[in-house]
């Protein structure tokens, strides 16, 4: 049974309703039917004073079951069930342990009283799935906590704590034993509680509305659901509850079939499916509690911070006292920044400091279960590090390289036991970015791979396995993206126009803004590493090299693709455009105008084609993994579902036609992937391809 209900044996005035649909009490058809049956049983029972609605000890209900959203709605519908609860002569009390999210919070809002444990989380995250609350959330919440507070919760999708919920008026009480308190609430209090749907219309807060709209224009550009949610919340200021509920329901049903909602559901399930394969289960370590990070630079500091925040005792190894001191300063600055932003409590900060140390002696790694190398992208330096580590660490300890491009096999070959090496490619900033590429070398043992998955779980990261190639999944696609963008520069576009086109598509920043952020010297060094193996038939654009030679390294020097002389704000620089034109003249190219749509098409097809090759070569296991890498590591708009999901919306025929058009200009760079050619013949798509 997904919903259990019974009359209390000790007090026949109390009726219990329990959500029992593990693991998260998703409100699916069976739960809706169970709640409806419970309501009928209550109506048939005399002498009742209250109904206590509860979830499990750790969760109330985490919302609707997204797996049902692709099918037609089946009665009983949640809004109708909640209307019965709200209109009941017997007041319902929501007893909230853990999370009450989406439909779970809407269920609580339909109750007359809400009592939560201090650990409860309350939220309406529907906009994060491309939809709006569909069972009264946009109409009840503003009436209960006010226009501004409700607008923030609904348009951001972010949950709030029980403490914040109490302060806002969302909860009536917070107590460590909410069930006991629910039983003790005076009957007069329950009888006096007004159903939320009957509360007065909230007054519109024009300042809050303007602030919210401005924020959405920045962080949710192109997304439909937050805009529609705003409209629905605004309705509450001048529309009766019945009409508001009807408008909300219509909007919910329309949006859940939209391309954006389907894309976001795809990502939702892809993230939950990103876990260790069953074959590695028997090799999984129970827990990793001691680690070493070699290198205390920006990347190493972020990795170490993530480790200690997850409760893992960590030592950073540096080369000398001076660099150790710098590493210590970076570590402390990350902790202080976390405290300042409210992400880490003062107590948590002290706990983290107690678990972290810095050393210049490799013997400090003697008790670690895993070592992560985060030094410069120089294979000789990395080999030296691992040879030192294998001398002092236990034979069963895992060795991991954070390399972004280099050959894991070549590094492994230098070890006494190559099977203990695995690649763990973190993304900057490593303590924030959710993606972890797990690089499988030819010799990587199941234990090494399983340890990577275990660590990802402990750090709260999403793991994606990648095979061997230069750049793995993400950086290989990034290189193709940049190559195509540089070709556009040569043939007529500007860096500012390309950035504008890609931010218009949904990226937070364009390729040249991103290069300025990371530093042009990093990509320059990688290009020099590739010089000896570069295909001479591929057009090589020298513009970025000329930028570096001119000392334009990005934000850190105040000059890059943009100038940052005005308080660090990016401004176009005529010198950059002049350099681009001069390089085109030198190459004998007549530049022409490109529309933003043309720019987007070229860059996307370049990346899609490379993604197809990555699948063809089994570097990625499936298209969903490439989607996760593109979103979590490289800024592809989440609401478009990831690179390969978006490609499937374009269709293989259209993709191939575009690539053939471009290949007339340069057949080497725009050669269609064999996977795409085969897919057009068979009528298949990327989603169906599995390695």
């Amino acid at each position: 049974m997904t919903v259990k209900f019974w009359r209390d044996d000790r007090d026949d005035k109390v009726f219990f309703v329990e959500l029992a649909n593990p693991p998260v009490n998703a409100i699916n058809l069976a739960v809706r039917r169970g709640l409806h049956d419970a309501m009928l049983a209550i109506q048939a029972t005399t002498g009742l004073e209250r109904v206590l609605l509860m979830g499990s000890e750790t969760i109330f209900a985490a919302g609707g079951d997204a797996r049902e959203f692709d099918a037609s709605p089946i009665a009983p519908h949640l809004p109708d069930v909640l209307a019965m609860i709200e209109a009941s002569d017997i007041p319902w009390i929501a007893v909230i342990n853990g999370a009450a999210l989406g439909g779970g919070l809407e269920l609580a809002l339909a109750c007359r009283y809400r009592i939560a444990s201090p650990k409860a989380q309350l939220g309406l995250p529907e906009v994060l799935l491309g939809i709006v609350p569909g069972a009264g959330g946009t109409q009840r919440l503003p009436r209960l906590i006010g226009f501004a507070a409700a607008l923030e919760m609904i348009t951001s999708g972010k949950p709030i704590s029980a403490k914040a919920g109490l302060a806002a008026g969302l909860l009536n009480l917070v107590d460590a034993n909410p069930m006991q308190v629910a039983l003790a609430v005076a009957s007069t209090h329950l009888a006096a509680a007004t159903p939320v749907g009957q509360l007065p219309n909230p007054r519109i807060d024009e300042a809050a509305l303007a602030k919210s709209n401005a924020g959405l224009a920045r962080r949710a550009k192109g997304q439909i659901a937050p805009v529609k949610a705003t409209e629905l919340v605004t309705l509450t200021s001048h529309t009766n509850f019945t009409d508001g509920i009807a408008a909300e329901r219509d909007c919910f049903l329309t949006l859940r079939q939209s391309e954006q909602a389907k894309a976001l559901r795809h990502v939702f399930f892809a993230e939950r499916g990103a876990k260790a394969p069953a074959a590695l289960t028997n090799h999984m370590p129970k827990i990793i509690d001691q680690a070493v990070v070699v290198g205390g630079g920006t990347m190493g500091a972020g990795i170490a911070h993530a480790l200690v925040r997850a409760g893992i005792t960590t030592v950073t190894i540096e080369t000398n006292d001076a660099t150790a001191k710098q590493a210590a300063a970076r570590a402390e600055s990350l902790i202080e920044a976390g405290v300042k932003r409210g992400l880490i409590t003062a107590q948590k900060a002290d706990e983290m400091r107690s678990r972290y140390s810095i050393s210049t002696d490799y013997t400090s790694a003697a008790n670690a279960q895993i070592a992560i190398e985060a030094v410069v992208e120089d294979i000789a330096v990395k080999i030296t590090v691992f040879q030192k580590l294998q001398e002092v660490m236990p034979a069963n300890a895992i060795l991991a390289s954070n390399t972004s491009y280099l050959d894991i096999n070549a590094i492994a070959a230098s070890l006494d036991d190559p099977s203990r090496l695995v690649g763990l490619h973190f993304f900057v900033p490593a303590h924030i970015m959710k993606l972890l590429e797990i690089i499988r070398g030819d010799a990587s043992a199941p234990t090494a791979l399983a340890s990577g998955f275990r660590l990802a779980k402990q750090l709260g990261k999403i793991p994606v396995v990648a095979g061997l190639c230069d750049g793995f999944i993400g950086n290989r696609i990034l290189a193709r993206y940049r190559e195509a963008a540089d070709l556009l520069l040569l043939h007529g576009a500007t860096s500012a126009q390309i950035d504008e086109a890609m931010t218009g598509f949904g990226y937070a920043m364009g390729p040249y803004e991103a290069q300025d952020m990371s530093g042009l010297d990093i990509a320059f060094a990688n290009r020099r590493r590739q010089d000896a193996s570069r295909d001479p038939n591929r057009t090589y654009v020298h513009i970025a090299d000329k930028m570096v030679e001119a000392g334009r390294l990005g934000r850190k020097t105040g000059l890059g693709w943009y100038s940052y002389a005005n308080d660090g704000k990016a401004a176009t620089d005529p010198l950059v455009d002049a350099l681009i034109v001069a390089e085109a003249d030198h190459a004998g190219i007549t530049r022409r105008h490109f529309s933003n749509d043309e720019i987007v098409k070229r860059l996307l097809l370049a990346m899609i084609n490379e993604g197809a090759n990555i699948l063809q070569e089994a570097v990625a296991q499936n298209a969903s993994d490439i989607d996760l890498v593109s979103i979590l590591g490289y800024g592809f708009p989440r609401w478009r579902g990831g690179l390969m999901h978006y490609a499937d919306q374009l269709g293989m025929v259209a993709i191939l036609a575009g690539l053939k058009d471009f290949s007339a200009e340069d057949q080497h760079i725009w050669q269609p992937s064999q996977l795409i050619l085969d897919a057009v013949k068979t009528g298949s798509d990327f989603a169906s391809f599995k390695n």
Side-chain angles (χ1 to χ4, degrees):
M1 284 184 72
T2 55
V3 176
K4 302 175 183 177
F5 47 89
W6 66 95
R7 191 171 192 168
D8 192 352
D9 293 335
R10 295 166 297 178
D11 184 348
D12 62 8
K13 295 181 180 180
V14 178
F15 197 94
F16 291 99
V17 179
E18 178 186 353
L19 304 175
N21 188 29
V24 296
N25 283 337
I27 303 175
N28 57 16
L29 175 60
V31 170
R32 298 196 302 273
R33 284 174 172 165
L35 288 169
H36 185 267
D37 291 345
M39 190 70 241
L40 295 179
I42 291 164
Q43 292 173 346
T45 304
T46 59
L48 294 177
E49 181 184 84
R50 68 191 67 194
V51 178
L52 270 56
L53 173 64
M54 55 189 170
S56 68
E57 293 183 2
T58 57
I59 193 164
F60 182 71
D65 190 338
R67 292 171 296 185
E68 293 185 344
F69 288 1
D70 288 319
S72 299
I74 301 175
H77 307 299
L78 188 58
D80 299 332
V81 174
L82 301 193
M84 291 177 67
I85 291 173
E86 188 170 65
S88 173
D89 293 334
I90 313 301
W92 285 51
I93 303 175
V95 180
I96 305 171
N97 281 307
L101 304 174
L105 182 58
E106 289 177 303
L107 181 54
L109 289 170
C111 295
R112 205 72 57 87
Y113 229 71
R114 288 157 297 282
I115 304 172
S117 73
K119 294 182 178 180
Q121 292 285 308
L122 314 160
L124 293 170
E126 283 86 353
V127 294
L128 303 180
L129 285 176
I131 56 175
V132 296
T138 66
Q139 302 304 297
R140 288 191 176 94
L141 191 63
R143 286 174 164 82
L144 184 62
I145 69 173
F147 181 89
L151 185 66
E152 168 63 21
M153 279 187 69
I154 292 169
T155 59
S156 73
K158 296 178 180 178
I160 63 173
S161 66
K163 181 179 179 181
L166 181 65
L170 176 51
L171 298 174
N172 298 92
L173 294 166
V174 173
D175 193 274
N177 192 338
M179 178 63 71
Q180 182 177 330
V181 173
L183 290 168
V185 172
S187 301
T188 52
H189 288 173
L190 288 178
T194 303
V196 176
Q198 296 178 20
L199 292 173
N201 294 56
R203 179 177 298 178
I204 192 170
D205 185 330
E206 296 289 356
L209 180 60
K211 181 180 178 182
S212 176
N213 286 337
L216 292 177
R218 290 193 307 272
R219 71 174 190 270
K221 185 178 180 180
Q223 297 182 51
I224 301 170
V227 175
K228 292 297 183 182
T230 300
E231 294 173 359
L232 290 168
V233 172
T234 304
L235 272 183
T236 63
S237 67
H238 59 272
T239 303
N240 66 61
F241 183 74
T242 300
D243 290 346
I245 285 287
E248 178 195 75
R249 184 65 175 174
D250 287 345
C251 185
F252 167 78
L253 292 175
T254 299
L255 286 184
R256 78 174 194 167
Q257 294 303 313
S258 68
E259 290 300 327
Q260 288 191 11
K262 291 177 181 178
L264 287 165
R265 286 200 293 277
H266 166 73
V267 179
F268 175 86
F269 288 117
E271 287 182 338
R272 278 145 189 78
K275 55 188 177 182
L280 294 180
T281 302
N282 294 333
H283 302 278
M284 191 79 69
K286 289 184 178 179
I287 196 167
I288 294 171
D289 54 26
Q290 293 191 65
V292 60
V293 177
V294 182
T298 300
M299 177 63 83
I303 295 171
H305 185 87
L307 292 167
V308 295
R309 189 175 59 192
I312 299 171
T313 299
T314 303
V315 57
T316 289
I317 297 178
E318 263 294 351
T319 54
N320 54 55
D321 290 340
T323 54
K325 185 176 180 180
Q326 293 169 358
R330 288 189 195 96
E332 181 59 27
S333 69
L334 290 178
I335 292 175
E336 289 177 355
V339 173
K340 185 176 181 179
R341 294 177 59 195
L343 303 175
I344 302 172
T345 64
Q347 180 181 355
K348 177 73 171 180
D350 288 340
E351 291 174 0
M352 290 174 64
R353 293 184 183 104
S354 71
R355 285 193 292 268
Y356 183 60
S357 61
I358 297 177
S359 174
T360 58
D361 185 354
Y362 272 80
T363 60
S364 60
N367 296 320
Q369 296 144 318
I370 189 169
I372 303 171
E373 161 274 310
V375 299
V376 295
E377 283 289 276
D378 184 310
I379 196 165
V381 175
K382 293 180 185 292
I383 286 173
T384 298
V385 166
F386 284 117
Q387 288 177 340
K388 289 181 179 180
L389 287 169
Q390 73 176 358
E391 292 176 4
V392 298
M393 295 184 73
N396 62 348
I398 303 303
L399 303 178
S401 174
N402 180 58
T403 181
S404 303
Y405 296 95
L406 300 180
D407 187 348
I408 292 291
N409 286 345
I411 300 173
S414 70
L415 301 176
D416 294 339
D417 180 6
S419 72
R420 65 195 295 198
L421 183 72
V422 67
L424 294 181
H425 180 210
F426 291 79
F427 290 76
V428 179
H431 59 295
I432 294 175
M433 298 291 277
K434 297 285 286 184
L435 179 66
L436 180 62
E437 275 187 320
I438 299 177
I439 315 304
R440 181 185 62 245
D442 290 347
S444 297
T447 301
L449 293 170
S451 296
F453 279 101
R454 168 59 71 192
L455 186 63
K457 184 175 182 179
Q458 288 181 234
L459 300 183
K461 296 192 180 295
I462 294 175
V464 171
V465 173
L468 291 179
C469 67
D470 195 293
F472 315 124
I473 297 174
N475 279 333
R476 178 170 163 179
I477 293 174
L478 177 64
R480 184 68 188 91
Y481 179 44
R482 288 177 171 175
E483 178 188 49
D486 285 351
L487 283 169
L488 280 166
L489 289 183
L490 201 61
H491 286 270
T494 65
S495 51
Q497 185 193 5
I498 292 171
D499 284 344
E500 178 187 16
M502 296 314 290
T503 54
F505 177 75
Y507 277 84
M509 60 177 66
Y512 297 105
E513 293 174 282
Q515 284 186 52
D516 273 2
M517 185 72 71
S518 61
L520 275 70
D521 51 328
I522 295 175
F524 178 84
N526 189 54
R527 290 194 297 274
R528 298 292 74 79
R529 179 183 62 82
Q530 296 172 325
D531 282 342
S533 59
R534 184 173 291 112
D535 182 352
N537 293 314
R538 293 180 80 92
T539 301
Y540 182 79
V541 181
H542 295 271
I543 296 171
D545 293 347
K546 297 289 181 67
M547 295 279 289
V548 174
E549 291 164 6
R552 304 182 73 103
L553 305 184
R555 284 186 173 274
K556 58 188 172 186
T557 60
L559 288 172
W561 295 101
Y562 299 90
S563 169
Y564 299 92
N566 184 18
D567 296 327
K569 295 180 181 178
T572 56
D573 189 335
L575 292 177
V576 173
D577 291 341
L579 188 156
I580 293 169
V581 171
E583 189 64 24
D585 289 344
H586 179 73
I589 293 172
T590 300
R591 287 164 53 82
R592 70 173 181 86
H593 172 73
F594 288 92
S595 70
N596 283 8
D597 287 345
E598 286 180 292
I599 289 170
V600 169
K601 180 179 179 180
R602 283 175 177 259
L603 297 187
L604 288 174
L605 289 190
M607 291 190 284
I608 290 167
N609 199 40
E610 196 65 23
N613 286 331
I614 286 170
L615 281 175
Q616 182 82 34
E617 299 164 20
V619 174
Q621 297 300 298
N622 53 60
S624 291
D625 282 354
I626 298 178
D627 289 334
L628 292 177
V629 171
S630 69
I631 292 168
L632 300 174
Y634 298 88
F636 193 92
R638 185 183 183 91
W639 51 275
R640 292 192 186 273
L643 179 64
M644 308 314 281
H645 177 87
Y646 180 76
D648 278 342
Q649 309 316 302
L650 294 177
M652 289 292 187
V653 172
I655 291 169
L656 180 57
L659 291 171
K660 284 185 174 180
D661 285 345
F662 299 151
S663 66
E665 303 171 7
D666 190 321
Q667 62 179 340
H668 296 286
I669 286 177
W670 294 104
Q671 175 62 43
S673 168
Q674 187 61 47
L675 189 151
I676 294 174
L677 294 169
D678 293 342
V680 169
K681 291 178 181 177
T682 60
S684 57
D685 58 11
F686 288 120
S688 62
F689 188 90
K690 298 288 188 295
N691 281 311

